[in-house]
Amino acid sequence: MGSDLRNWIGFFLLGSINNLPYVIVTSAANTIADSFDQRNNVGVVFFANVALSVIVKSVNGFLLLKVSYGLRIVANAILMLIGLFGVAFAFDFWFAIVCIVFVGASAAFGENVALGYLRLFPSKFVNAWSSGTGMAGVLGSTIYIIFGCAVGAGGDNTAKLKNLTKYAFLLTSPVVVVYLLAYFWIIQIPPESESLTKDDSDIQKEKQRLLDNEDGELDEISESVEPVEESALKRILRCFKLVSWVSLNLAAVYMFEYVAQGSAAKVRPKSEYNKGCPELYASLSLCYQAGVFVSRSSVQLFKIKRIEILSVLQLINMIVWLIDVHTKFIPVYLLPAYMIYVGLLGGASYVNIFYLLLNDDKYPTNDRELCINIAALFITVGIVSGTAVETLLFQTALKND
């Protein structure tokens, strides 16, 4: 097997498995809450899934960049297993919530570690990772639909729901072994990238930068030049400025698409939900994830540099979906195609932004991982903002729709 194909498969598996437990929690939030007779606390499930995202991403980006990727991958696998087994054997709702926090933390931490690791590889492999995360969405939504069809309609399903939740998470846990195999056995760092893991190249690069800036005037003393010391805070601020535009777009797209996706629960009369197989909301969730998967797999076919266009289009989508919550003017047969479009825009923004971060010379090689980690923080900012906007609107202006 060629090294390119081997690495593509490895990163695809990393992305799929890293995000799968997170997506299952998101897709099955109603099921988890119902299994403990906590239907009114579905929002708590969603919040728990992102509760520690900013913290773990910050810890990775600002404190752990000197720690080997292998150790961080193993730590993430442990987090993943704690979450999966905890939810499977949860004895009450709030214990399940604590374990869901571990699931969400694992997805967030693993994402930042993997995106940083990608700096050692040709930028085309971001397509493999992002395609894998898209596949996780499709798999998670499909599992939710299958379980929803198995349970069926009716009010006396608490025991059945608990068993389905238990076995869904137990049956997912073995994939953690594949996650570890993907990193330690399948993926191979290109020989030319080995030097990027060493710090001793920093001095030489700094010397060269000084020489270039002074048009050769420092030639005679080049060997004695020492790099200009830069504090950690100044480096973070400098990198933040470098990635501010793409980061804001990333946060905006996530906020807009999460509001649009959440609106799918109220764009039709209440009587049209919770019936049939697959159920309407679950079907629209699968359509969204299918769109995300396709577009996150697209960067090797075409690239989008004007990422702000995607943000504006997604803003329009959010507005249309919110209007439809109130007016319900979009026919039900058009909703699946429109939700696929929402997913296409969101996935395209994600993969193209991280392709730019990994490929554009604007981001210095030695700062690339920090830049990626800072930008990835804004994914959580967008998700939390979208959840907050959706909750606020659904509790106020759109409460009775």
Side-chain angles (χ1 to χ4, degrees):
M1 183 187 299
S3 61
D4 274 9
L5 177 59
R6 185 185 185 111
N7 286 339
W8 204 100
I9 292 172
F11 278 112
F12 180 85
L13 290 173
L14 273 187
S16 298
I17 297 167
N18 185 79
N19 282 28
L20 183 59
Y22 172 90
V23 174
I24 291 177
V25 168
T26 300
S27 300
N30 289 330
T31 303
I32 293 169
D34 282 350
S35 69
F36 293 101
D37 292 323
Q38 296 283 339
R39 181 168 298 181
N40 291 329
N41 283 323
V42 173
V44 178
V45 177
F46 287 112
F47 176 76
N49 218 13
V50 296
L52 290 184
S53 294
V54 170
I55 294 175
V56 296
K57 286 185 174 187
S58 298
V59 168
N60 179 68
F62 305 140
L63 300 178
L64 300 181
L65 294 188
K66 299 292 185 182
V67 177
S68 73
Y69 290 107
L71 283 176
R72 284 184 274 170
I73 288 290
V74 171
N76 195 53
I78 293 171
L79 279 177
M80 204 181 299
L81 286 172
I82 291 173
L84 288 169
F85 284 118
V87 176
F89 294 105
F91 51 85
D92 68 15
F93 178 71
W94 296 108
F95 182 81
I97 290 299
V98 171
C99 296
I100 288 169
V101 169
F102 279 92
V103 171
S106 168
F109 183 74
E111 179 176 54
N112 271 34
V113 172
L115 287 169
Y117 187 48
L118 276 163
R119 75 187 177 91
L120 304 177
F121 297 81
S123 52
K124 64 183 179 181
F125 287 112
V126 72
N127 190 66
W129 160 265
S130 60
S131 181
T133 60
M135 177 56 71
V138 174
L139 290 174
S141 295
T142 302
I143 289 171
Y144 175 73
I145 287 175
I146 292 171
F147 286 173
C149 292
V151 171
D156 299 323
N157 289 319
T158 300
K160 247 199 251 189
L161 288 170
K162 280 188 177 180
N163 279 330
L164 287 171
T165 299
K166 176 180 178 179
Y167 290 113
F169 285 91
L170 282 181
L171 291 173
T172 302
S173 59
V175 301
V176 178
V177 176
V178 181
Y179 178 78
L180 293 171
L181 286 174
Y183 175 81
F184 287 104
W185 181 64
I186 299 178
I187 297 173
Q188 296 178 334
I189 298 177
E192 62 271 19
S193 295
E194 291 288 348
S195 62
L196 294 180
T197 63
K198 298 179 175 66
D199 294 328
D200 57 7
S201 63
D202 293 353
I203 292 177
Q204 293 302 322
K205 290 190 175 183
E206 182 63 24
K207 286 179 180 178
Q208 187 61 50
R209 184 184 70 81
L210 290 171
L211 289 169
D212 292 342
N213 288 346
E214 295 299 327
D215 296 320
E217 291 179 12
L218 298 179
D219 283 350
E220 58 202 295
I221 57 169
S222 61
E223 290 305 314
S224 63
V225 172
E226 294 294 332
V228 177
E229 286 294 331
E230 182 182 35
S231 69
L233 179 59
K234 285 184 177 180
R235 183 180 178 227
I236 290 170
L237 290 175
R238 176 171 55 79
C239 289
F240 178 81
K241 289 178 182 178
L242 280 174
V243 301
S244 57
W245 178 243
V246 294
S247 298
L248 290 173
N249 275 276
L250 196 58
V253 161
Y254 265 85
M255 183 181 80
F256 301 152
E257 71 184 80
Y258 265 68
V259 174
Q261 188 188 11
S263 298
K266 299 189 74 173
V267 290
R268 300 302 302 166
K270 190 175 181 180
S271 60
E272 295 185 23
Y273 292 94
N274 295 315
K275 60 167 57 175
C277 179
E279 188 266 341
L280 178 59
Y281 180 74
S283 300
L284 292 177
S285 293
L286 179 59
C287 290
Y288 165 78
Q289 298 294 351
V292 170
F293 171 64
V294 171
S295 58
R296 286 194 178 191
S297 306
S298 67
V299 78
Q300 284 181 270
L301 300 177
F302 60 89
K303 300 167 182 64
I304 301 172
K305 290 186 177 181
R306 297 291 302 276
I307 52 164
E308 65 274 11
I309 295 174
L310 301 173
S311 303
V312 172
L313 291 174
Q314 199 72 298
L315 171 62
I316 295 170
N317 282 341
M318 180 189 74
I319 293 171
V320 172
W321 280 89
L322 288 173
I323 292 172
D324 194 42
V325 169
H326 182 67
T327 63
K328 297 174 173 49
F329 72 95
I330 301 178
V332 67
Y333 58 83
L334 291 181
L335 292 176
Y338 196 17
M339 188 55 80
I340 289 173
Y341 176 59
V342 172
L344 285 171
L345 291 180
S349 180
Y350 178 97
V351 69
N352 282 281
I353 284 174
F354 284 108
Y355 179 83
L356 285 173
L357 288 168
L358 287 162
N359 190 63
D360 198 325
D361 291 336
K362 172 183 176 182
Y363 309 104
T365 300
N366 290 323
D367 293 323
R368 205 175 291 275
E369 184 172 8
L370 179 57
C371 289
I372 289 169
N373 276 271
I374 292 172
L377 281 171
F378 282 78
I379 294 175
T380 303
V381 172
I383 293 173
V384 172
S385 300
T387 303
V389 169
E390 177 193 335
T391 302
L392 179 63
L393 289 173
F394 286 4
Q395 292 296 323
T396 54
L398 300 175
K399 184 176 182 179
N400 296 320
D401 292 307

